[in-house]
Amino acid sequence: MALDIEALRAEAQDLIKAAKDMDCLSQIRIRYLGRKGELTSLIKNIGHLPQEERPKFGERLNQLKLALTREIDEKQEAIKKLSAKTGTGLDLTLPGIRPERGRKHPLTQILEETYHIFTGLGFKIAEGPEIETDYYNFGALNFPDDHPARDMHDSFYLGTDNLLRTHTSPVQIRVMKSQPPPVRIIAPGKVYRRDADITHTPMFHQVEGLLVDNDVSFSDLKGVLTSFVHQMFGPDKRLRFRPSFFPFTEPSAEIDISCVMCMGKGCRVCSQSGWLEILGAGMVHPNVLNEVGYDPEQVTGFAFGAGVERIAMLKYGVDDIRLFFENDIRFLRQF
Ligand code: PHE
């Protein structure tokens, strides 16, 4: 019996030493220390020993049990450390890391809502380059050579002929030059102007709209914009068309909606007027149709351009445009 204990100890220690992973170790633990393990069966044999040898044998067994428990625990720690260091192990007992959930930027939300509204009205989405030539940005849009919008103070020029587009209207020209009528597009994108205060940033977004076909009239423009405003801001909003001027549309209008803050009663946001300007629009100028090779006797069209930040500010009640570009998570979380 005495021999058995030493043989058992040697055998168990060899196995513990050779164990390579947690699985292996827990099998060793069960095999020697478990309820039906080898140590337990030795204890059961204690009755076969002479009375006087029993206490001594019991004590030795107990010591072996403690020793094996400690050695297995130590080996377990060693395996854990090693696998953490080599990166081969995966410790499923560590608490998980919950990934932060992202969300869409408020401007992206407004853009997607705009696409949804206009694709529902049969418009396709078109795009153009942010670096434009003077011709597409101004010339083809019927800007006279000495028009103040060409002034260095409004535009970011890149050399003498190229500039960062100051509006999305050049996409009108690119689309019309690339296909015959009918045309029914919206063109979202970034535009650039030398301007910076609480309602202007040097880069902002516009959505251009263009529809050219037979017999398109100003009332079609009114219908499309009314549908847009009602879907974007609510059916209770009224629209007001004010005469305006753009070189590429005739007649031209600026469109106001009844103030979203005071419902038209007059407040600080609408400077007591009850109205807020939201976009520019008009009937495509015959000179522009001629420039792209369309016949103004055959087709007519309307165009409009809206500021995306402006729509977002009005819809969400944001009073400083710069907040959209500061990436302050506390601001962005609110939408
Ligand atoms: N491009 C004009 C602007 O940026 C807006 C506009 C677009 C006006 C289309 C009329 C028609 O101010």
Side-chain angles (χ1 to χ4, degrees):
M1 277 304 213
L3 248 187
D4 277 351
I5 288 187
E6 282 322 303
L8 203 65
R9 179 195 296 275
E11 183 190 285
Q13 282 175 336
D14 280 351
L15 283 175
I16 294 169
K17 225 194 244 164
K20 289 239 164 0
D21 55 36
M22 296 293 184
D23 257 9
C24 206
L25 263 186
S26 72
Q27 271 165 31
I28 296 170
R29 201 189 284 275
I30 291 165
R31 173 163 166 195
Y32 291 97
L33 305 173
R35 246 182 334 111
K36 293 180 184 159
E38 310 238 355
L39 248 67
T40 317
S41 55
L42 273 187
I43 291 169
K44 281 181 190 145
N45 280 336
I46 209 165
H48 302 301
L49 286 176
Q51 190 75 47
E52 64 280 10
E53 283 180 29
R54 287 181 194 170
K56 185 113 185 94
F57 185 77
E59 196 193 315
R60 290 185 61 209
L61 264 183
N62 218 21
Q63 272 167 8
L64 176 59
K65 185 175 173 181
L66 290 174
L68 290 183
T69 304
R70 203 193 59 234
E71 279 170 41
I72 290 174
D73 286 348
E74 278 170 10
K75 182 73 183 198
Q76 192 168 322
E77 279 312 302
I79 289 177
K80 247 194 213 165
K81 268 200 198 120
L82 189 72
S83 64
K85 226 192 287 171
T86 56
T88 51
L90 177 63
D91 186 351
L92 296 176
T93 65
L94 284 174
I97 300 165
R98 194 186 283 267
E100 279 255 28
R101 202 146 147 231
R103 66 194 71 220
K104 282 179 182 161
H105 192 278
L107 295 179
T108 305
Q109 293 183 36
I110 293 287
L111 272 173
E112 288 183 355
E113 212 172 321
T114 305
Y115 301 158
H116 178 76
I117 294 169
F118 282 107
T119 52
L121 293 168
F123 286 75
K124 294 261 180 303
I125 296 171
E127 277 182 324
E130 289 170 31
I131 296 174
E132 268 299 5
T133 59
D134 188 83
Y135 171 75
Y136 281 104
N137 197 81
F138 295 129
L141 287 161
N142 198 35
F143 280 79
D145 280 344
D146 57 357
H147 194 281
R150 294 181 181 228
D151 196 303
M152 291 289 282
H153 295 282
D154 290 321
S155 313
F156 291 105
Y157 273 89
L158 307 162
T160 49
D161 197 41
N162 292 333
L163 74 162
L164 295 177
R165 66 180 178 189
T166 59
H167 52 176
T168 42
S169 300
V171 185
Q172 290 186 32
I173 305 299
R174 291 186 177 273
V175 170
M176 287 191 284
K177 278 190 176 237
S178 72
Q179 63 160 93
V183 175
R184 193 184 274 236
I185 55 116
I186 58 165
K190 292 181 165 65
V191 301
Y192 303 84
R193 291 183 197 175
R194 296 176 65 149
D195 224 346
D197 58 39
I198 76 164
T199 53
H200 298 89
T201 44
M203 183 283 295
F204 59 104
H205 297 80
Q206 284 189 336
V207 178
E208 191 81 8
L210 174 70
L211 187 149
V212 181
D213 205 341
N214 302 322
D215 300 324
V216 177
S217 70
F218 201 91
S219 59
D220 296 315
L221 171 63
K222 275 183 118 172
V224 165
L225 292 181
T226 302
S227 174
F228 169 67
V229 166
H230 284 176
Q231 290 185 66
M232 182 62 84
F233 293 100
D236 56 329
K237 298 294 170 301
R238 295 171 57 215
L239 284 83
R240 179 170 80 167
F241 287 68
R242 265 184 300 112
S244 185
F245 174 80
F246 300 103
F248 41 96
T249 48
E250 180 59 35
S252 302
E254 271 169 325
I255 286 92
D256 303 333
I257 60 169
S258 46
C259 180
V260 292
M261 304 296 162
C262 65
M263 295 298 168
K265 287 196 220 37
C267 67
R268 199 178 54 90
V269 174
C270 59
S271 320
Q272 309 305 329
S273 72
W275 295 98
L276 296 164
E277 185 191 322
I278 62 150
L279 44 81
M283 301 306 292
V284 180
H285 198 292
N287 289 356
V288 173
L289 295 174
N290 275 324
E291 183 67 36
V292 299
Y294 286 9
D295 181 355
E297 301 295 326
Q298 295 291 316
V299 290
T300 49
F302 65 73
F304 58 86
V308 179
E309 286 78 2
R310 173 112 188 125
I311 293 172
M313 287 171 81
L314 297 180
K315 187 163 165 127
Y316 298 131
V318 175
D319 59 6
D320 188 336
I321 191 174
R322 293 168 293 201
L323 288 165
F324 291 118
F325 305 112
E326 281 167 1
N327 286 335
D328 185 331
I329 206 87
R330 293 165 304 178
F331 172 75
L332 297 175
R333 272 218 177 102
Q334 301 175 70
F335 304 95

